[in-house]
């Protein structure tokens, strides 16, 4: 038996023993997904145990180096672990911007001290990280950001405002883009710094969304002291890190349509509408669902193919923009169809009898998928310029 | 299985691209059309393909083939889609060979496959009976007569129907629900072939059978029900048509992007206009999605997976949609010149539509997919 087969067998057995049954149920509510951090309230002992056993093996971050607490798995093993988790419908034990964004950036650009300070806590889900990128006047044009970090010898003094900061009210730390050289061209004067959200001068104000929830905030930074050793990478080279990190963010958002459950829509449609002569009664909806399932399958296979191509050493750069664009647009269509399948019921807002409007709130939340992490239009710009080479004189 | 080509498949793909662009580019199809060539393809091109072993890519080694599988053959189908090459590749080397492998007896395979590999025999699958693909309609009848059989009926839009040496005809066995697949010489008494010139200028024909005598050893599989084999044949055909359409879409898209990067209006490259950039970028991601479905389908065929029917329908549906979009956008983004016969773009559009209609367009396949899933 090859090492990989051996690994698969052991992994399967280990997951079978260690993954609690409740953690194999589909993710429905936001809290079903564990985000970790000091303010996290576990929904059950199972959720806590599942995080702990996985983190102990470093399997919350399977392909990160073991010396910082990661799983130390190679690409093939990582893929096997993912497949085996999917096989039993295991939930991802930890979902965080630490894992998907700042962690990879620290591993690539961070000092040894920063890695030792932050990576193990990310793996264990001890700290909830938030992302301080967007500002009121600088969204798509992120590189124009104006939040200032002044050099005060042993520390930076940060002043400015961030907006749309997801979960700033629950987060422990922020990774934040700041302007450290106002005289330099806009891309060349930016740095990436880290600070504790409890630092004096940090104020957060939740913003209510169309979904009725308040998952993001305005974040005001007023004379916030940031220690110099919390600068990631080189001073004024933050744009490179910012885009590296955005690549990871896009992959994560793009993969949002992939979950631990069968995402296909037709079982719900059959349950809701019934069959007439073996077919859904609404033939237009039938076609819409089939076309969605075609695109969804194609998307999942594409994510897999691109991973496989990278493993084999011939990938395309900027693939993350294509995956982000396609994945989020497909996910938006999925939720439009989920509402359509349920008719009026899909639009109920309140009430025990109607799942408290989960269908409607989720549908509305997905509208943000093609905005957050760079809008669909920005992804199309990137594909056009970087992959297709359009518009270069 | 990883969704990437292995080393040998990659080499075959590169070799195919090199051969086809050098020896059978779109200009060849244009010349065949302009000359109103009666055969519809260049025999010397086919001969060279045979020498490269392409007639035997799907043939088992025991019958002298390369046994290289559908992923391998699919790379050739894709590359031939880029160059719009007309040849017996699809009708003979994909469908003809697959029919014999799926439904032929040992003796039939031994007799016919080596001849195909050697380029001495071309075949055409006579399957549909109307202008839209419908595998349930088989009015062509095969009835017992003495020690053999007699065939009556008509087939429509048979690829290579007027040029192939022999036709593989699907028929219902009289007074039963059973289907059969029989081998009939094109020149046999009672067979009437009428070539149909299609928009894409590729070979197609309507064929009638009036009291055609069929020897018992010309019935594939010796008369066992061929229903399952026919359905698998359609899946195989659709997988390779999807691969061809993938190649076609990529090529016409590349030509469009090149044009966006050369043509100027208002003093700037038209590719600098976001109205065009976004449509091009959208098309790019659609083609990426299609690539994955095509490869997965070809791999499923080689693995004999249960998912073949579902995947073949998804791949063909997506291929039809993407190739339609790619060719429509190509004409539009080329402006007036895109409408001219002088530019090749129109050839891509015409082939895209014919290939989509063959064995079911995206509407058909979305419906079939839904039925296969049980809704
Ligand atoms: C749910 C959600 C969560 C978020 N979480 C975070 C977070 O945690 N941290 C954070 O920093 N930010 C976060 N954001 C902010 C997000 O990154 C920005 O909203 C996004 O980058 C767009 O910026 P904007 O809102 O200023 O829109 P604008 O940039 O003003 O865009 C408005 C419209 O103009 C279009 N547009 C802009 N420029 C171009 C162009 N060059 N070409 C074509 N079209 C263009 C856009 O596509 C869009 O349609 C989040 C956003 C959402 C919706």
């Amino acid at each position: 038996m090859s090492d990989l087969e051996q690994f698969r067998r052991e992994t399967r057995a280990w997951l079978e023993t260690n993954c609690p049954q409740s953690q194999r149920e589909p993710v429905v509510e936001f809290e079903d997904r564990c985000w970790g951090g000091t303010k996290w309230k576990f929904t059950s002992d199972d959720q806590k145990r599942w995080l702990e056993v996985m983190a102990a093996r470093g399997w919350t971050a399977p392909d990160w180096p073991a010396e910082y607490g990661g799983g130390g798995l190679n690409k093939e093993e990582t893929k096997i672990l993912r497949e085996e988790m999917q096989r039993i419908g295991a939930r991802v034990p930890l979902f965080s911007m630490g894992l998907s964004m700042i962690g990879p950036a620290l591993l690539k650009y961070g000092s040894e001290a920063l890695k030792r300070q932050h990576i193990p806590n990310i793996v264990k889900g001890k700290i909830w990280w938030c992302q301080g990128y967007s500002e009121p006047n600088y969204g798509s044009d992120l590189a124009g950001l104006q939040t200032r970090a002044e050099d005060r010898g042993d520390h930076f003094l940060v002043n400015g405002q961030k907006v749309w900061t997801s979960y700033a009210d629950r987060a422990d730390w922020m990774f934040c883009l700041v302007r450290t050289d106002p005289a330099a061209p806009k891309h060349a004067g930016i740095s990436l710094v880290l600070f504790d959200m409890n630092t004096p001068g940090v104020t957060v104000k939740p913003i209510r969304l169309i979904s009725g929830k308040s998952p993001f905030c305005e974040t005001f930074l007023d004379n916030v002291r940031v220690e110099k050793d919390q600068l990631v990478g080189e001073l004024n080279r933050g744009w490179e890190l910012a885009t590296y990190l955005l690549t990871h963010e896009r992959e994560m958002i793009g993969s949002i349509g992939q979950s631990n459950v069968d995402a296909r829509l037709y079982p719900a449609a059959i349950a809701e509408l019934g069959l007439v002569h073996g077919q859904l009664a609404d033939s237009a909806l039938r076609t819409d669902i089939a076309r969605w399932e075609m695109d969804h399958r194609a998307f999942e296979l594409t994510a897999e193919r691109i991973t496989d191509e990278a493993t084999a050493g011939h990938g395309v750069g900027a693939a993350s923009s294509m995956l982000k664009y396609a994945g989020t647009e497909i996910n938006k269509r999925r939720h439009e169809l989920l509402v359509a399948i349920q008719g009026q019921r899909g639009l109920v807002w309140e009430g025990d009898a109607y799942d408290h409007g989960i269908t409607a709130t989720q549908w509305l939340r997905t509208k943000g998928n093609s905005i957050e992490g760079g809008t669909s239009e920005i992804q199309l710009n990137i594909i056009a310029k970087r992959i297709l080479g359009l518009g270069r004189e | 299985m990883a969704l990437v080509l292995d080393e040998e498949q990659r080499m075959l793909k590169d070799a195919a691209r090199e051969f086809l662009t050098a020896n059978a580019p779109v200009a060849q199809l244009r010349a065949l059309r302009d000359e109103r060539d009666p055969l519809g393809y260049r025999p010397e091109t086919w001969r060279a393909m045979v020498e490269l072993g392409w007639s035997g890519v799907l043939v088992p080694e025991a019958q002298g083939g390369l046994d290289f599988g559908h992923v391998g053959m699919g790379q050739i189908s894709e590359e031939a889609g880029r160059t719009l090459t007309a040849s017996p590749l699809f009708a003979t080397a994909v469908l003809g060979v697959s029919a014999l492998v799926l439904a032929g007896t040992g003796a039939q395979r031994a007799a016919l496959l080596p001849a195909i590999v050697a380029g001495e025999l071309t075949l055409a699958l006579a399957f549909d009976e109307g202008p839209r693909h419908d595998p349930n309609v088989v009015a062509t009848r095969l009835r017992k007569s003495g020690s053999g059989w007699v065939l009556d009926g008509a087939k429509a839009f048979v690829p290579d129907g007027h040029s192939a040496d022999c036709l593989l005809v699907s028929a219902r066995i009289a007074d039963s629900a059973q289907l059969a697949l029989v081998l009939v010489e094109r020149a046999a008494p009672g067979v009437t072939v009428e070539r149909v010139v299609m928009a894409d200028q590729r070979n197609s024909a309507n064929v009638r059978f009036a009291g055609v005598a069929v020897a018992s050893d010309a019935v594939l599989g010796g008369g066992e029900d061929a229903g399952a084999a026919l359905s698998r044949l359609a899946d195989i055909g659709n997988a390779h048509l999807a691969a061809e359409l993938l190649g076609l879409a990529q090529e016409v898209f590349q030509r469009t992007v090149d044009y966006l990067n050369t043509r100027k209006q208002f003093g700037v490259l038209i590719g600098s206009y976001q109205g065009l950039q976004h449509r091009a970028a959208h098309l790019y991601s659609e083609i990426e999605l299609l690539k994955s479905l095509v490869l997965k389908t070809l791999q499923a065929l080689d693995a004999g997976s249960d998912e073949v029917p579902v995947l073949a329908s998804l791949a063909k549906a997506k291929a039809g949609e993407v190739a339609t979009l790619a060719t429509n956008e190509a004409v539009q983004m080329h402006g007036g010149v895109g409408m001219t016969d002088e530019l090749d773009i129109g050839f891509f559009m015409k082939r895209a539509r014919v290939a989509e209609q063959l064995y079911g367009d995206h509407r058909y396949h979305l419906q079939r997919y839904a039925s296969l899933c049980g809704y």
Side-chain angles (χ1 to χ4, degrees):
Chain A
M1 187 185 302
S2 78
D3 289 353
L4 285 181
E5 283 166 47
Q6 176 80 14
F7 177 76
R8 186 184 292 277
R9 236 184 30 181
E10 285 168 12
T11 303
R12 182 171 296 189
W14 187 88
L15 288 172
E16 209 44 82
T17 324
N18 288 283
C19 182
Q21 277 308 326
S22 69
Q23 300 304 299
R24 307 182 192 189
E25 301 290 318
V27 167
V28 181
E29 306 262 17
F30 174 81
E31 284 77 14
D32 290 344
R33 244 188 207 132
C34 175
W35 286 69
T38 57
K39 295 177 194 147
W40 182 255
K41 290 190 191 66
F42 288 100
T43 54
S44 64
D45 291 344
D46 279 353
Q47 191 185 51
K48 183 160 185 276
R49 187 159 4 104
W50 180 224
L51 171 62
E52 284 169 359
V53 291
M54 286 293 275
R57 302 199 68 164
W59 281 5
T60 45
D63 55 352
W64 290 8
E67 54 172 321
Y68 304 114
L73 303 186
N74 63 28
K75 282 183 178 160
E76 286 85 5
E77 290 165 339
T78 305
K79 185 173 178 185
I80 289 172
L81 174 60
R82 198 175 58 224
E83 285 167 358
E84 290 303 318
M85 285 174 66
Q86 269 166 2
R87 200 183 63 88
I88 59 168
R91 290 180 184 171
V92 173
L94 179 66
F95 191 84
S96 81
M97 294 195 198
L99 288 174
S100 58
M101 290 190 249
I102 188 63
L106 281 172
L107 285 170
K108 189 169 158 88
Y109 297 96
S111 65
E112 188 57 30
L114 277 181
K115 286 186 208 170
R116 299 232 169 261
Q117 179 185 358
H118 294 299
I119 300 287
N121 286 332
I122 293 174
V123 173
K124 295 199 193 88
K126 295 232 181 282
I127 299 293
W128 184 326
W129 285 89
C130 66
Q131 175 190 29
Y133 273 33
S134 306
E135 297 181 4
N137 288 318
Y138 299 94
S140 297
D141 182 16
L142 181 61
L145 61 96
Q146 294 299 325
T147 295
R148 275 281 283 135
E150 268 175 77
D151 191 331
R152 292 291 177 92
D154 63 339
H155 68 276
F156 295 110
L157 200 64
V158 178
N159 279 288
Q161 190 199 331
K162 296 289 172 181
V163 72
W164 322 130
T165 329
S166 294
Y167 310 115
D169 53 341
R170 303 197 217 182
D172 302 299
W173 276 65
M174 173 182 277
F175 53 96
C176 187
L177 287 178
V178 291
R179 186 155 302 280
T180 37
D181 184 353
K186 68 177 182 178
H187 293 94
I190 296 172
S191 301
L192 183 68
V193 296
L194 314 176
F195 55 83
D196 189 326
M197 294 295 278
N198 288 320
T199 315
V202 180
T203 321
V204 295
K205 234 174 91 189
I207 304 170
R208 193 177 156 109
L209 259 57
I210 51 175
S211 59
K213 304 255 159 93
S214 302
F216 59 28
C217 305
E218 290 177 283
T219 309
F220 300 93
L221 305 171
D222 188 13
N223 286 327
V224 177
R225 183 189 164 106
V226 176
E227 300 308 323
K228 279 269 174 81
D229 64 0
Q230 298 302 313
L231 168 72
V232 187
E234 282 176 50
L235 190 69
N236 295 327
R237 296 286 294 277
W239 186 248
E240 185 186 339
L241 277 76
T243 47
Y244 176 76
L245 225 135
L246 276 174
T247 309
H248 281 269
E249 179 177 17
R250 282 167 192 159
E251 277 161 15
M252 177 195 65
I253 298 171
S255 68
I256 247 159
Q258 297 168 301
S259 62
N260 66 333
V261 285
D262 186 341
R264 286 178 297 180
L265 290 169
Y266 71 82
I270 293 175
E272 204 70 34
L273 298 152
L275 299 174
V276 179
H277 304 303
Q279 296 190 359
L280 282 181
D282 181 334
S283 66
L285 186 59
R286 178 182 195 238
T287 311
D288 284 351
I289 291 173
R291 178 174 282 110
W292 181 82
E293 286 178 359
M294 167 182 81
D295 284 334
H296 175 69
R297 185 77 193 268
F299 175 75
E300 285 196 321
L301 289 169
T302 303
E304 192 181 326
R305 177 169 64 79
I306 283 173
T307 311
D308 290 344
E309 283 174 357
T311 309
H314 33 82
V316 227
S320 63
S321 286
M322 185 272 294
L323 289 175
K324 205 266 173 185
Y325 168 65
T328 55
E329 295 297 335
I330 290 168
N331 200 40
K332 285 198 297 183
R333 272 165 63 202
R334 172 167 200 268
H335 285 267
E336 287 290 345
L337 285 168
L338 279 169
V339 170
I341 286 167
Q342 296 183 42
Q344 299 274 8
R345 221 148 46 70
L347 293 165
V348 170
W349 201 245
E350 285 176 9
D352 287 340
Y354 299 103
D355 279 350
H356 303 276
I358 283 179
T359 305
T361 48
Q362 289 189 341
W363 158 65
L364 288 162
R365 174 61 184 84
T366 59
K367 299 301 172 195
N369 294 161
S370 51
I371 299 171
E372 59 198 315
T375 65
S376 279
E377 290 75 20
I378 294 301
Q379 305 316 312
L380 292 171
N381 286 348
I382 294 173
I383 295 168
K385 297 200 171 77
R386 304 244 183 89
I387 303 182
L388 306 178
L390 291 177
R392 289 205 197 105
E393 289 291 327
Chain B
M1 178 185 276
L3 279 170
V4 283
L5 298 182
D6 66 26
E7 198 53 36
E8 287 190 317
Q9 290 157 350
R10 186 174 298 280
M11 278 165 61
L12 179 60
K13 184 186 183 72
D14 292 346
R17 165 131 10 147
E18 207 173 299
F19 171 81
L20 291 165
T21 44
N23 298 285
V26 184
Q28 186 184 70
L29 180 65
R30 179 186 289 278
L32 288 163
R33 178 197 68 177
D34 292 348
E35 294 159 17
R36 302 186 74 82
D37 185 279
L39 189 61
Y41 63 88
R42 292 272 187 254
E44 60 274 20
T45 301
W46 176 234
R47 170 83 2 238
M49 289 178 173
V50 167
E51 275 157 22
L52 287 166
W54 294 1
S55 51
V57 171
L58 292 176
V59 176
E61 282 175 12
Q63 280 91 40
L66 298 174
D67 202 7
F68 215 67
H70 287 283
V71 176
M73 192 70 194
Q75 303 319 304
I76 304 177
S77 299
E78 182 182 326
E79 292 306 323
R82 280 184 180 269
T83 47
L84 304 178
T85 303
S87 80
L89 206 61
F90 179 69
T92 299
V94 174
L95 293 175
V97 167
S98 297
L100 289 167
V101 169
L102 286 167
T105 60
Q108 287 165 335
R109 285 196 298 241
L112 301 170
L113 287 172
I116 293 177
V117 174
E120 288 155 8
L121 174 68
T122 53
L123 299 175
L125 181 66
F127 188 11
D128 276 318
E129 304 193 349
R132 296 173 63 85
H133 176 61
D134 188 347
N136 296 319
V137 175
V138 184
T140 299
R141 283 281 179 282
L142 188 68
R143 70 190 146 74
K144 196 100 204 137
S145 163
S147 66
W149 301 82
V150 173
L151 181 71
D152 284 286
K155 295 285 174 179
F157 304 103
V158 179
D160 284 7
H162 79 280
S163 59
D165 300 319
C166 289
L167 306 168
L168 282 163
V169 188
S170 64
R172 204 170 291 285
I173 295 181
D175 306 321
S176 88
Q178 260 199 219
L179 291 174
L181 200 49
V182 300
L183 191 72
V184 176
E185 277 186 41
R186 178 168 54 87
V191 179
T192 326
V193 179
E194 176 203 350
R195 184 178 184 181
V196 187
V197 178
M198 303 293 290
D200 68 345
Q201 306 297 324
R202 300 272 283 269
N203 287 350
S204 189
N206 290 334
V207 190
R208 300 190 156 278
F209 306 92
V212 177
V214 177
S216 62
D217 64 357
V219 179
L220 292 201
E224 247 177 74
D225 186 43
L230 277 163
S231 149
R232 178 53 55 103
L233 265 182
D235 286 336
I236 290 172
N238 278 313
H240 285 274
L241 287 166
E244 181 191 339
L245 286 166
L246 169 63
L248 180 155
Q250 290 178 98
E251 179 65 25
V252 81
F253 178 59
Q254 188 54 53
R255 291 178 184 220
T256 307
V257 168
D258 290 347
Y259 191 68
L260 296 181
N261 276 328
T262 19
R263 170 79 175 165
K264 286 190 172 178
Q265 282 297 282
F266 302 97
V268 295
L269 291 174
I270 55 171
S272 63
Y273 292 117
Q274 202 176 50
L276 299 184
Q277 286 184 348
H278 282 193
R279 280 155 57 189
H282 171 71
L283 185 48
Y284 170 83
S285 36
E286 289 290 288
I287 292 173
E288 286 296 306
L289 295 184
L290 172 60
K291 263 187 204 169
S292 320
L293 274 176
V294 169
L295 182 53
K296 182 75 178 178
T297 307
L298 294 168
Q299 287 184 347
L301 278 171
D302 286 335
S305 150
D306 294 343
E307 271 214 306
V308 164
V310 160
L311 284 168
S313 274
L314 289 182
K316 180 69 181 315
K318 188 77 189 164
E321 290 196 348
V322 172
T324 298
L325 181 66
T327 49
N328 284 345
E329 289 288 56
V331 169
Q332 180 66 23
M333 292 190 194
H334 277 84
V337 77
M339 288 298 293
T340 63
D341 182 65
E342 194 187 336
L343 210 69
D344 287 339
I345 297 297
F347 281 81
F348 288 92
M349 179 177 274
K350 292 177 246 184
R351 177 59 192 161
R353 296 307 185 281
V354 175
E356 182 179 11
Q357 284 302 324
L358 189 55
Y359 306 146
D361 66 1
H362 67 270
R363 299 169 192 88
Y364 171 86
H365 283 288
L366 287 175
Q367 302 303 322
R368 177 174 182 253
Y369 168 80
S371 299
L372 287 168
C373 292
Y375 68 96

